[in-house]
Amino acid sequence: MTNKFLETLYTKVFINIIVEDSQTVVYIEVCSKSNVIETIQKRFDTTRINAKMYDVIQAYSKQSPFYYISVLDNSSLQGASPAVDKLDMNKYADMSLMKSISFSGWSVYSAEYDLNNISKEYKSIGVDFIFSPFLMMTKFFEDKISTNLSMFILVESNYLTIAIFDNSKLLYAKYADTQYQKDDDLSINIPLDDEYDDVSLDIDGINLEDIDIDDDNSLDDFANIEDLDSGNEIDEFSEAKDIKEIKQDNNDDIGSVDFYEDYQRFLCIQSSLSSFYKDDKYDSKFIESTYIADGIGVSNALKKYLEEEIFLSVYVRKIDLGKELCNMAKAELDAI
């Protein structure tokens, strides 16, 4: 009670860390009660904490005794499970290696070794929260997850967080490091001419007759794992307004690195959907739509492939990863 009272007398500083391909983003908010009085975002050309990053974080953490440092988990072995019982969760991962948190009917997990490494990496500044990207994605699409049978995807620079929900029930989840796939698939044939619109991908077929179509009809509070613009027109996902597809410029450079990387993302999504349909441990249902939280600015090619090759209705919404991580930390504090 005393701490809550003291918090009203001081500003709060939220420091949020997101590791990308070769950089680290630090997003900071300084708040007075419910008002944001200062925001700052800096990029550092390192994936490890260095002197410059340390100095910036220290400068802001010294502004208040109430500062909170959050990190977005990028552990390669993390995931989410449609089960909450440890024995049932072993169908999806070796839980002897994991730390997990359960919700109403599903769980998130991450390798204890990796979580300990994150804590060690930031030992000089301390880490209060290590948040799962699955939780970030489900919070971002909370209204859609609670009312839809759809696939949901969070796109980071090197990672895809993929989940299929049916009215808040998790059916499938995968955390994918697309960097590995890019390294493994360098020989892939990418079209570089004006015949892009006629491209047909040679991908594994999906037998739709084997899919059990089920029309069975709220996400609980989110928690953290601890110690473990463009010119595009973005339509808000609200219940009062029908969702419309994002309007995008069709003049993408299909020979660009962005196009190549989005092609790899497409392959990963296609593979995940195929696994969902074919693997007996999943409660497979026919997926018609996908919602993408775009944290990096994907090209139009990704949306085009998903629509034309897998016949999905695709809806894209920009997400500010740093700001969303900050909002999760605020929500976590409010729940304490």
Side-chain angles (χ1 to χ4, degrees):
M1 186 68 178
T2 302
N3 281 344
K4 286 292 184 181
F5 173 73
L6 290 175
E7 286 181 20
T8 64
L9 304 179
Y10 291 91
T11 58
K12 291 181 183 177
V13 180
F14 295 91
I15 300 166
N16 309 276
I17 300 171
I18 298 171
V19 179
E20 297 184 341
D21 183 8
S22 59
Q23 294 183 320
T24 299
V25 177
V26 177
Y27 174 84
I28 301 171
E29 284 190 9
V30 181
C31 302
S32 176
K33 296 183 180 179
S34 60
N35 298 317
V36 179
I37 59 177
E38 183 181 2
T39 62
I40 182 172
Q41 179 168 295
K42 287 186 173 291
R43 287 184 173 270
F44 301 90
D45 292 326
T46 176
T47 58
R48 310 286 298 274
I49 187 167
N50 60 13
K52 290 182 179 180
M53 192 190 310
Y54 176 85
D55 289 344
V56 169
I57 292 173
Q58 282 293 96
Y60 277 88
S61 63
K62 288 179 179 178
Q63 292 188 15
S64 172
F66 297 99
Y67 67 91
Y68 307 92
I69 298 177
S70 303
V71 177
L72 185 62
D73 187 9
N74 64 351
S75 306
S76 59
L77 295 179
Q78 69 175 299
S81 168
V84 295
D85 181 81
K86 287 293 179 69
L87 290 177
D88 293 334
M89 290 173 67
N90 277 318
K91 293 192 301 183
Y92 307 96
D94 183 356
M95 296 309 298
S96 66
L97 305 175
M98 307 294 174
K99 280 195 172 183
S100 64
I101 292 178
S102 297
F103 308 100
S104 178
W106 65 287
S107 307
V108 295
Y109 59 83
S110 195
E112 185 171 4
Y113 175 83
D114 289 333
L115 294 169
N116 289 337
N117 280 344
I118 292 174
S119 296
K120 289 177 182 177
E121 172 65 27
Y122 300 104
K123 184 177 180 180
S124 61
I125 57 174
V127 173
D128 296 290
F129 306 115
I130 302 174
F131 285 106
S132 165
F134 286 96
L135 299 186
M136 176 180 285
M137 182 178 64
T138 49
K139 180 176 174 62
F140 189 69
F141 287 127
E142 187 170 2
D143 60 330
K144 298 305 165 189
I145 284 174
S146 63
T147 59
N148 281 266
L149 166 61
S150 297
M151 178 166 57
F152 298 86
I153 303 168
L154 172 64
V155 181
E156 299 178 65
S157 58
N158 271 353
Y159 306 99
L160 290 180
T161 302
I162 303 171
I164 296 173
F165 280 91
D166 182 10
N167 294 288
S168 295
K169 179 182 178 182
L170 180 65
L171 303 181
Y172 172 88
K174 180 179 181 179
Y175 184 75
D177 185 341
T178 55
Q179 181 65 47
Y180 289 142
Q181 183 157 351
K182 282 182 275 184
D183 291 341
D184 292 340
D185 293 325
L186 291 177
S187 63
I188 201 158
N189 184 21
I190 300 177
L192 300 177
D193 54 28
D194 294 336
E195 297 180 357
Y196 167 67
D197 289 337
D198 296 325
V199 170
S200 177
L201 297 180
D202 183 14
I203 59 179
D204 291 337
I206 298 173
N207 187 355
L208 300 183
E209 294 182 356
D210 293 336
I211 301 168
D212 179 20
I213 301 177
D214 192 342
D215 293 326
D216 289 342
N217 293 358
S218 47
L219 208 56
D220 287 340
D221 293 337
F222 294 96
N224 65 292
I225 299 178
E226 187 173 357
D227 293 329
L228 274 166
D229 254 62
S230 68
N232 297 340
E233 177 186 338
I234 309 296
D235 290 292
E236 293 298 324
F237 295 157
S238 64
E239 294 182 0
K241 184 177 181 181
D242 289 338
I243 302 173
K244 297 181 180 179
E245 295 180 7
I246 182 173
K247 295 179 180 178
Q248 294 186 301
D249 187 355
N250 289 323
N251 296 322
D252 291 299
D253 180 3
I254 60 176
S256 69
V257 173
D258 286 346
F259 175 85
Y260 174 71
E261 292 181 348
D262 280 339
Y263 183 82
Q264 306 308 314
R265 294 184 181 104
F266 162 76
L267 291 178
C268 185
I269 295 167
Q270 187 274 332
S271 175
S272 297
L273 193 57
S274 180
S275 295
F276 171 65
Y277 287 144
K278 295 177 180 178
D279 195 324
D280 291 340
K281 68 174 173 275
Y282 300 114
D283 181 16
S284 300
K285 300 179 181 181
F286 180 49
I287 305 302
E288 295 182 340
S289 60
T290 186
Y291 297 86
I292 297 177
D294 178 12
I296 59 170
V298 296
S299 73
N300 192 50
L302 178 60
K303 182 173 184 288
K304 189 179 185 73
Y305 275 139
L306 292 173
E307 289 177 334
E308 296 185 0
E309 304 299 330
I310 313 183
F311 310 109
L312 292 169
S313 297
V314 181
Y315 308 101
V316 181
R317 185 182 182 184
K318 294 287 187 181
I319 182 172
D320 185 325
L321 298 173
K323 188 173 183 62
E324 287 302 316
L325 191 61
C326 187
N327 289 339
M328 293 176 72
K330 291 178 182 178
E332 189 65 22
L333 288 177
D334 289 342
I336 297 175

